[in-house]
Amino acid sequence: MFDTVIWLEIHIKLNSPNKLFCRCKNEQEFDDLTPNTHVCPTCMGQPWALPVLNQEPLEKAIQLWLALNCTVQLISQFDRKSYFYPDLPMGYQITQFSKPTNIDGSVTFFIDKEFSEERTVWIVDAHIETDTGKSIHSAGAVTLDYNRAWTPLVEIVTHPEFSTTQEVIWFLKHLQRVARFQDVGDGDMDKGQMRVDVNISLKPQWSEILWNRTETKNMSSFSAISRAIEYEVERQTEILNNGGVIDQQTRWWDDVAGSSFVMRSKEDAMDYRYFPEPDMPLVSISEQQLSKISQTMKPGPYERIKTYKDAYKFNKEYINALINDVDVNQAFEYGVAQWNPPAEVAKRLVWPIQRRLNEQQVWFDALAFTQKQFLDFLLLIKDGKLANAQAKIVMSEMIAHGTNPEQVIEEKWLKPVDEDQVKNRLDQIFKEKPDLLEDLKSGNMKPMWFVVGQVMKLSWWAADPGMVNGLIRKIIG
Ligand SMILES: [Zn+2]
């Protein structure tokens, strides 16, 4: 029997306005973009155009590093990694190898749906580097698009300490949320904003020495990653059981075929001929810059889950609804800041989301109302301008049509009801059903709650039942 040892290399795209070393726009989505429209001599690799490090992507990277509890090095270096790809215009990538800006991080995350079991994974290094362009294969021809060339990535390398697919997937989902909560990138895998290389090695249970590893490259969906891990563990186990040897390989996963194939063999760091990037000075980060960035850090997903679970006593459905979408979370946090207690705010936010989620997988974007409307809605409840029963009516209209809460109140006559209005409604009821009034007058109080209920219904539950009761007693003398 063998133990499985997995480690990951994850590329997360940063959402800074510009590319890493030039002033070209750093687009987040390329599908609808005309090829080669966000390019300049620098990111096209013209020999006379030199790279200059932009501060925004560097600061976004620092935010991500701090969120991963990394030690940020104040002096670090860019290195040149030489390899040839048609979509790499310079024939090399600018990355960090010998002196990365940050090392030794750790990430604690939950690995189950109940948010009860935790794991901590260590990060070897998380460095900043450039992305490549894109090769587009169509109609027997290959064309090249450099819009993505030199856009900023952070590559995160973990220690070899995962042993199951489940741990890997929960870790990646956590990482995606870390990036989103710090607003450094969306990590949207469909858009290639988070790409994962999985290294897998087996070892006998009685030994600490790993057999040769394979690396399955560049996967960008959770299901592909899960299937690729299962496939590779099975493949290696079979080879070892038959007395074979694992070749150190880089493989690519074909999700349609459900199998992986060899890309290259025996690839080591020396194959890339790393050396200090001659066109770039050392990267210097001041203590001041670092402390300024630390102050802007927001609580990450782990801290938020802990608060929702331990301090607010929310159940897993509430926690899920609140951490899966940054906009929902923001609406909740604004709400809590304006109006405690958190359970009241969560109840009113999670209800519409769950109603929507039951219909289809959608997030805050698909709700018709805005964060501001949600906050206005909470303030109306807080200020006593909207009774609990009415709140549901208002929320239903907000979900369906994105109507402002005040407008719903206006249109549906949901304003607090005064004595005169209640009297009018009582007159109306007794006029339609005079026997009710006679019964009450003769001392038979059975219809009392029926009448109160009718008034409440006619006034959209905005009337005070105590007041209605008192008025009925006045009428019957
Ligand atoms: Zn450029």
Side-chain angles (χ1 to χ4, degrees):
M1 281 299 287
F2 309 106
D3 284 341
T4 304
V5 181
I6 304 171
W7 65 104
L8 306 171
E9 294 170 26
I10 304 120
H11 288 93
I12 294 189
K13 183 178 170 66
L14 298 174
N15 60 4
S16 58
N18 303 104
K19 292 184 179 185
L20 191 53
F21 297 126
C22 62
R23 300 310 290 174
C24 291
K25 195 169 173 224
N26 174 28
E27 278 290 344
Q28 297 299 301
E29 289 178 45
F30 299 98
D31 286 352
D32 298 329
L33 201 64
T34 312
N36 298 310
T37 46
H38 294 339
V39 290
C40 70
T42 310
C43 58
M44 294 286 282
Q46 300 299 326
W48 63 87
L50 295 179
V52 176
L53 176 64
N54 286 322
Q55 287 302 299
E56 302 98 330
L58 178 65
E59 291 189 354
K60 293 254 177 195
I62 296 173
Q63 262 179 288
L64 183 56
W65 297 331
L66 291 175
L68 302 176
N69 302 303
C70 289
T71 309
V72 177
Q73 310 291 301
L74 297 181
I75 299 290
S76 58
Q77 170 187 305
F78 279 106
D79 296 289
R80 189 176 283 195
K81 179 183 183 182
S82 305
Y83 61 101
F84 177 77
Y85 269 146
D87 51 21
L88 192 69
M90 283 74 81
Y92 58 84
Q93 181 190 23
I94 300 180
T95 179
Q96 295 188 306
F97 180 67
S98 56
K99 290 192 193 99
T101 316
N102 65 108
I103 49 169
D104 294 339
S106 71
V107 181
T108 303
F109 57 102
F110 290 96
I111 56 164
D112 64 335
K113 282 184 182 157
E114 308 296 321
F115 302 106
S116 58
E117 212 180 321
E118 294 181 9
R119 274 292 314 273
T120 298
V121 164
W122 298 93
I123 308 283
V124 180
D125 86 72
H127 57 261
I128 193 162
E129 64 182 27
T130 50
D131 207 344
T132 60
K134 249 183 173 176
S135 307
I136 302 157
H137 301 256
S138 68
V142 180
T143 49
L144 297 168
D145 174 14
Y146 293 121
N147 281 339
R148 201 179 67 178
W150 282 31
T151 56
L153 299 175
V154 166
E155 180 178 352
I156 298 160
V157 184
T158 73
H159 272 257
E161 48 187 326
F162 296 96
S163 52
T164 65
T165 310
Q166 183 197 355
E167 288 170 350
V168 168
I169 300 300
W170 280 96
F171 173 79
L172 292 172
K173 285 189 175 165
H174 176 83
L175 208 55
Q176 200 177 41
R177 287 178 185 143
V178 168
R180 290 175 184 175
F181 278 119
Q182 298 304 335
D183 187 26
V184 299
D186 284 343
D188 193 327
M189 294 181 103
D190 289 342
K191 293 172 188 157
Q193 295 165 353
M194 181 158 121
R195 308 193 295 266
V196 182
D197 305 339
V198 180
N199 290 275
I200 297 180
S201 211
L202 299 188
K203 71 173 187 61
Q205 285 175 335
W206 42 264
S207 162
E208 284 311 306
I209 298 168
L210 300 180
W211 273 314
N212 276 342
R213 52 109 184 157
T214 62
E215 180 180 14
T216 309
K217 291 291 267 184
N218 234 346
M219 288 175 287
S220 52
S221 88
F222 291 126
S223 74
I225 293 165
S226 303
R227 295 175 67 208
I229 293 175
E230 307 293 333
Y231 174 87
E232 185 57 19
V233 170
E234 217 177 288
R235 192 187 70 87
Q236 290 192 19
T237 307
E238 206 179 302
I239 294 173
L240 292 171
N241 279 339
N242 290 328
V245 175
I246 308 293
D247 287 330
Q248 182 173 318
Q249 286 172 343
T250 301
R251 303 177 69 88
W252 65 274
W253 173 250
D254 183 337
D255 208 32
V256 181
S259 53
S260 66
F261 301 92
V262 183
M263 276 169 83
R264 1 179 227 275
S265 280
K266 293 249 176 211
E267 174 187 75
D268 275 314
M270 59 180 296
D271 298 338
Y272 292 118
R273 295 187 296 116
Y274 284 100
F275 60 91
E277 171 55 52
D279 289 339
M280 297 283 303
L282 292 175
V283 181
S284 163
I285 298 164
S286 68
E287 292 272 8
Q288 221 178 1
Q289 193 178 14
L290 194 57
S291 89
K292 208 178 113 199
I293 296 169
S294 328
Q295 284 158 19
T296 64
M297 296 295 290
K298 302 161 195 111
Y302 175 77
E303 290 79 11
R304 285 175 209 254
I305 293 171
K306 287 285 265 187
T307 307
Y308 301 159
K309 190 174 146 229
D310 299 339
Y312 299 170
K313 312 279 180 219
F314 288 172
N315 62 26
K316 63 178 180 188
E317 283 79 19
Y318 269 40
I319 299 174
N320 260 320
L322 294 177
I323 59 156
N324 278 338
D325 183 87
V326 174
D327 293 328
V328 170
N329 194 275
Q330 255 179 19
F332 171 72
E333 295 291 345
Y334 284 150
V336 173
Q338 296 292 328
W339 182 49
N340 257 317
E344 289 290 321
V345 180
K347 185 171 82 184
R348 294 183 163 91
L349 187 57
V350 173
W351 179 70
I353 290 163
Q354 284 183 334
R355 228 179 86 167
R356 277 271 160 179
L357 279 177
N358 289 340
E359 294 162 18
Q360 59 195 82
Q361 284 284 332
V362 289
W363 301 115
F364 199 93
D365 282 358
L367 298 176
F369 58 88
T370 62
Q371 285 189 3
K372 163 138 191 353
Q373 287 173 330
F374 178 66
L375 197 57
D376 290 345
F377 166 75
L378 289 181
L379 294 177
L380 287 167
I381 304 173
K382 182 191 167 198
D383 298 341
K385 292 179 184 158
L386 193 55
N388 247 331
Q390 297 174 311
K392 278 206 167 179
I393 301 165
V394 175
M395 181 47 89
S396 297
E397 288 299 304
M398 287 167 65
I399 296 170
H401 310 296
T403 324
N404 280 323
E406 287 90 348
Q407 201 184 329
V408 184
I409 292 174
E410 197 72 39
E411 284 169 4
K412 299 258 177 209
W413 293 75
L414 294 177
K415 284 194 177 138
V417 177
D418 62 19
E419 273 201 22
D420 284 345
Q421 286 167 309
V422 172
K423 264 188 204 150
N424 286 341
R425 274 156 209 178
L426 279 171
D427 288 347
Q428 189 188 336
I429 293 165
F430 290 141
K431 210 169 151 188
E432 281 167 17
K433 294 183 174 164
D435 45 327
L436 285 178
L437 185 58
E438 271 167 37
D439 275 359
L440 287 166
K441 276 189 171 166
S442 67
N444 174 10
M445 300 307 276
K446 265 192 198 156
M448 185 65 143
W449 284 109
F450 172 76
V451 178
V452 174
Q454 288 298 302
V455 175
M456 297 299 287
K457 212 168 151 187
L458 280 173
S459 57
W460 289 90
W461 289 272
D464 171 16
M467 186 228 284
V468 182
N469 197 310
L471 278 173
I472 300 174
R473 285 177 191 281
K474 254 191 208 169
I475 293 171
I476 61 179

